[in-house]
Amino acid sequence: MIIGNSISPLSTIIYAAGGISYIPLLDTYANSKSCWSVFKMRTTFTGSFGTMRLDADDSTALLPYNLQGTPDLDALTLFANGGLVTLKIWNGQDLAETPLAQSVTGSQPSLTDGSGNPLLENGILAPDFDGINDVMEVPSSQSTFRFMHDGDNSSTFTVAKFGNSLNPDQAYVFLGNNAGSSDKTGVTLSYNDRASSSESNALNNVISNGAANACFNKNNDVVTPNTQQIISVLMDADNSTLIDRSRVFVNDGSVIQSSTSSATPSTSNATHNLQVGANGNGGNNLEGSIQEITIFEDNYLTEQSDIVTQINSRFNTFV
């Protein structure tokens, strides 16, 4: 069933937080490989935000977007009825409408607290991952995201919060399919604050080829924990200029480049399915929230600033 009012396609959407108008991102950059967001991202998308599950009785319902282009919090609160609601399916808004899914009830991110109150960041719904076993996955996707590691270009834009304290002392993966290991094939995008590895508020991204790292970009003191941020990661694993194999941006900051890996990337499929909130094999689970991930099979270095500006106009992440 659907609770609340569904949203019809609009050319410009006004959302409730300050009445700001925005054109959905995928109306401008239509060729997204995948897109999961708490905002409506394409005017021709007629689906819901996703399938929510009531923990008390295991019932499910579709959570619609409201007329402001965000998940209907009234519908969520009504469905919660004072209890915990989790996210079972997060619908994709790319043209293929690729979903994220989690059928295991104890591994679904939360949409409300145990009393039925929606979990929010900057007034907008924020699916919360518990840092223990919460994770969502793109089923049968080992070949789907091969462009992220095989030497083709990829551009990933994420709105997330890492940790629930100012000193997490943990490593969290927010997107991955190589189990965080160089002897597997794929990618890992992660936050690291472990004192044991001399990493402090680091943003890392790794491309591995099954034997070595074709790209390893590790940068300390670039991320503020327990704070919503926009992370841009642009990867080109076979670039002959090694530092250009990975470009990272935090909010509207300058480009961060540090990779010195020179291994040849693999054209094989990824070892695991792509996971959001873990490394592809259910490890390094994220504690924090993810509100949006958009992945393009393109080099969007020139467009990166404009895309971040569009994202920030919706989330108000930085001034």
Side-chain angles (χ1 to χ4, degrees):
M1 64 177 170
I2 298 178
I3 295 179
N5 298 316
S6 62
I7 182 170
S8 58
L10 301 172
S11 59
T12 301
I13 295 176
I14 311 296
Y15 81 86
I20 299 172
S21 63
Y22 74 93
I23 297 174
L25 182 67
L26 299 189
D27 285 4
T28 305
Y29 301 98
N31 59 336
S32 167
K33 193 70 173 182
S34 292
C35 178
W36 308 284
S37 178
V38 294
F39 280 89
K40 188 171 182 190
M41 299 286 276
R42 178 164 55 86
T43 55
T44 56
F45 180 72
T46 59
S48 66
F49 166 71
T51 301
M52 52 185 175
R53 185 190 70 87
L54 185 61
D55 193 58
D57 61 7
D58 206 34
S59 60
T60 60
L62 299 179
L63 177 58
Y65 288 100
N66 59 25
L67 295 177
Q68 288 74 44
T70 56
D72 190 329
L73 298 184
D74 290 336
L76 174 58
T77 302
L78 177 65
F79 180 69
N81 193 29
L84 173 66
V85 175
T86 60
L87 181 58
K88 184 175 182 178
I89 299 173
W90 192 343
N91 289 333
Q93 297 188 58
D94 52 284
L95 292 176
E97 298 188 4
T98 307
L100 285 169
Q102 179 53 268
S103 61
V104 178
T105 58
S107 296
Q108 295 167 353
S110 299
L111 298 178
T112 71
D113 63 18
S115 299
N117 301 302
L119 299 172
L120 309 176
E121 289 289 338
N122 286 359
I124 304 163
L125 187 65
D128 186 77
F129 295 72
D130 66 1
I132 302 172
N133 51 17
D134 286 357
V135 60
M136 303 200 79
E137 184 170 299
V138 184
S140 304
S141 60
Q142 288 98 328
S143 64
T144 307
F145 297 95
R146 189 170 59 204
F147 65 91
M148 298 183 74
H149 67 257
D150 69 1
D152 202 350
N153 288 293
S154 70
S155 302
T156 299
F157 299 87
T158 302
V159 180
K161 182 188 79 172
F162 307 115
N164 288 314
S165 71
L166 292 178
N167 186 26
D169 195 25
Q170 295 289 334
Y172 303 129
V173 173
F174 57 96
L175 192 69
N177 56 13
N178 69 354
S181 177
S182 61
D183 64 357
K184 305 294 189 295
T185 300
V187 302
T188 298
L189 310 184
S190 64
Y191 164 84
N192 199 336
D193 188 52
R194 293 178 297 167
S196 61
S197 64
S198 301
E199 295 194 32
S200 172
N201 297 325
L203 189 63
N204 301 340
N205 63 287
V206 178
I207 299 171
S208 56
N209 65 8
N213 292 324
C215 172
F216 189 91
N217 196 2
K218 179 176 70 173
N219 304 279
N220 281 323
D221 301 316
V222 297
V223 178
T224 303
N226 199 28
T227 302
Q228 181 195 69
Q229 285 162 108
I230 302 170
I231 308 296
S232 310
V233 180
L234 284 61
M235 296 185 292
D236 178 13
D238 64 355
N239 197 302
S240 58
T241 302
L242 299 186
I243 63 169
D244 289 344
R245 292 189 173 194
S246 170
R247 295 176 172 93
V248 176
F249 303 80
V250 179
N251 293 331
D252 60 346
S254 300
V255 64
I256 303 166
Q257 296 170 274
S258 66
S259 180
T260 57
S261 299
S262 58
T264 301
S266 172
T267 57
S268 299
N269 291 345
T271 302
H272 300 284
N273 289 331
L274 189 71
Q275 290 186 334
V276 169
N279 62 20
N281 196 32
N284 299 120
N285 296 74
L286 171 69
E287 180 179 19
S289 63
I290 296 177
Q291 293 173 289
E292 183 169 302
I293 296 181
T294 305
I295 304 172
F296 298 96
E297 191 177 357
D298 293 282
N299 179 355
Y300 274 169
L301 179 62
T302 301
E303 298 84 358
Q304 183 269 338
S305 178
D306 178 64
I307 291 173
V308 169
T309 297
Q310 288 200 35
I311 295 171
N312 192 55
S313 72
R314 293 180 279 116
F315 287 98
N316 195 29
T317 301
F318 59 88
V319 178

